[in-house]
Amino acid sequence: MILILLINLKLMEEISIRETIEPLNRSTLRNALKINGTVRSYFSEFLRNMGYLEIPPVIYSTATDPLNHPVFDTSFEYYGQKYSITKSMIFHKQISVQYLGKIFTFSPNVRLETSDKASTGRHLSEFTQIDIECLNATRDDMISLAENMISGVIAEVKNKNSQDLTDLKRILNQPEKPFVKIRYEDALSQHGKHFEDVLSAKMSDPFWIIDIPVNEREFYDREDPENEGYLMDMDLIYPEGFGEAISGGEREFEIEKILQRVALKGQSPDQFKWFIEAASGGLLPSAGFGIGIERLVRYLCGFPKIEMVTPFPKVPGKRSI
Ligand code: ASP
Ligand code: MG
């Protein structure tokens, strides 16, 4: 009996692994990877031309992004010190620009999302974001940089990957700048709590959600000194139902304010020790944002599911290799 069970389990495993690698054979994956290549080259060159320095990714650290939603823990101990796998390089960005001025990185992130994210079509537990930060920049500076990057990459893909778009039957709209900006509270009162999905489905160009309430985002996004309770931040949402593209904003940079915001979240400063220590010496203001690469490629390709863009997708709640 036990032997039969073991054999069955083994068979299930084999079938499941075969299923897992089957997408490698899809022609749509090849299209997506070519578009992914265009996106990476375009962003790298664009940012370098603007004076941004590429820094290598950080895969694990003693402090990482606390995020604003629960995920499974990825911490481990190594030589008596506790580390976490990077959820985002937010702290490394904010500290490195103090010395380097303008930086970007293609940052692999692990966010072990819960299974309710399995069928959103836009969550992977392992993904890459291009993470950008600029010293002495404002939210408006970052909004216009992001708009130039998004509309620029759409034009580039339409030009360089026209055959891939034809294969995928994808008609990509070239958005007009500046993108529409909608205040969080207005979106909420007009479209209810699922406003992001409602608006994303309705719109035909990407649009911004701005002035997000403090408790809806992490402690590091800066509270607006002229509009207490709201952040100097922004989310970009793709049209046609593709959902969230970017999050970013100005950063809290005064140590008293940082500690106050950490406390407001019920977090302990010990969780972010190296960052808090570095910030205690005084920080200059900065702003930045992150663009999820797989989400962008999914949008460009017009795919129903994000797992179609990558050969070894990690879908929340599902087995992967
Ligand atoms: N990297 C941040 C995130 O993952 C985005 C940002 O720059 O604020 O949410
Ligand atoms: Mg975020």
Side-chain angles (χ1 to χ4, degrees):
M1 179 68 177
I2 289 175
L3 190 69
I4 293 170
L5 265 180
L6 280 177
I7 290 169
N8 275 345
L9 270 178
K10 186 131 201 306
L11 278 179
M12 271 170 68
E13 176 109 326
E14 272 170 16
I15 290 163
S16 143
I17 287 175
R18 221 175 287 139
E19 274 170 3
T20 311
I21 60 174
E22 184 271 337
L24 278 168
N25 206 18
R26 286 194 200 138
S27 62
T28 53
L29 176 66
R30 190 171 288 274
N31 298 125
L33 292 174
K34 282 158 74 184
I35 290 176
N36 181 71
T38 304
V39 166
R40 284 176 173 255
S41 315
Y42 178 80
F43 281 166
S44 299
E45 197 183 330
F46 178 94
L47 289 166
R48 262 184 217 114
N49 287 339
M50 304 269 303
Y52 283 77
L53 275 175
E54 181 169 7
I55 65 167
V58 169
I59 307 288
Y60 67 90
S61 174
T62 56
T64 191
D65 194 329
L67 304 179
N68 199 51
H69 66 281
V71 290
F72 292 104
D73 185 34
T74 60
S75 61
F76 61 93
E77 213 178 281
Y78 185 47
Y79 285 100
Q81 177 135 274
K82 194 179 160 201
Y83 297 94
S84 275
I85 302 179
T86 297
K87 296 192 189 99
S88 95
M89 279 175 58
I90 184 68
F91 303 128
H92 303 83
K93 291 202 302 180
Q94 202 179 341
I95 299 304
S96 57
V97 291
Q98 304 295 317
Y99 303 90
L100 301 172
K102 291 169 158 189
I103 60 102
F104 72 99
T105 180
F106 285 96
S107 172
N109 291 180
V110 173
R111 300 181 182 177
L112 298 181
E113 304 284 358
T114 45
S115 59
D116 53 307
K117 303 278 188 342
S119 53
T120 62
R122 62 167 190 276
H123 284 89
L124 290 176
S125 295
E126 178 186 84
F127 64 95
T128 300
Q129 63 172 322
I130 181 163
D131 230 344
I132 295 159
E133 194 78 10
C134 183
L135 198 64
N136 293 319
T138 63
R139 172 171 67 180
D140 283 345
D141 297 333
M142 291 299 100
I143 284 182
S144 82
L145 179 71
E147 290 184 359
N148 288 335
M149 288 175 69
I150 295 291
S151 62
V153 83
I154 290 173
E156 182 84 347
V157 165
K158 279 165 87 80
N159 178 25
K160 296 249 167 77
N161 297 89
S162 61
Q163 186 56 53
D164 296 301
L165 295 176
T166 306
D167 293 349
L168 297 170
K169 301 188 174 51
R170 174 67 168 146
I171 296 162
L172 255 185
N173 186 32
Q174 183 65 51
E176 293 228 348
K177 292 182 290 188
F179 301 166
V180 169
K181 294 188 191 77
I182 307 171
R183 293 195 64 245
Y184 181 99
E185 297 289 3
D186 295 340
L188 184 65
S189 66
Q190 284 162 28
H191 303 283
K193 67 176 178 171
H194 299 297
F195 66 83
E196 203 174 290
D197 295 336
V198 174
L199 283 168
S200 176
K202 245 170 95 152
M203 304 286 271
S204 51
D205 276 351
F207 60 96
W208 295 104
I209 299 290
I210 58 164
D211 298 350
I212 298 166
V214 275
N215 57 341
E216 297 295 331
R217 287 293 178 273
E218 299 86 342
F219 76 81
Y220 51 75
D221 283 348
R222 184 175 179 221
E223 187 171 9
D224 187 345
E226 277 150 37
N227 193 13
E228 208 180 304
Y230 295 91
L231 300 170
M232 294 292 288
D233 67 346
M234 74 280 187
D235 277 4
L236 185 77
I237 315 296
Y238 291 123
E240 303 170 66
F242 287 99
E244 190 192 335
I246 288 179
S247 64
E250 294 182 16
R251 313 302 180 191
E252 292 293 2
F253 60 96
E254 291 155 317
I255 188 64
E256 301 75 25
K257 194 72 190 159
I258 292 173
L259 292 173
Q260 191 190 323
R261 295 283 309 282
V262 169
L264 199 71
K265 279 281 174 193
Q267 289 154 352
S268 155
D270 289 347
Q271 206 184 319
F272 316 108
K273 200 162 181 279
W274 79 261
F275 171 71
I276 303 277
E277 270 181 37
S280 302
L283 289 179
L284 291 168
S286 69
F289 59 92
I291 308 177
I293 297 292
E294 291 83 353
R295 287 182 175 183
L296 173 58
V297 174
R298 176 199 172 211
Y299 167 64
L300 294 167
C301 292
F303 286 156
K305 286 181 187 299
I306 195 164
E307 53 259 46
M308 294 174 72
V309 309
T310 183
F312 303 108
K314 305 289 198 316
V315 180
K318 284 199 188 151
R319 252 167 74 165
S320 56
I321 50 167

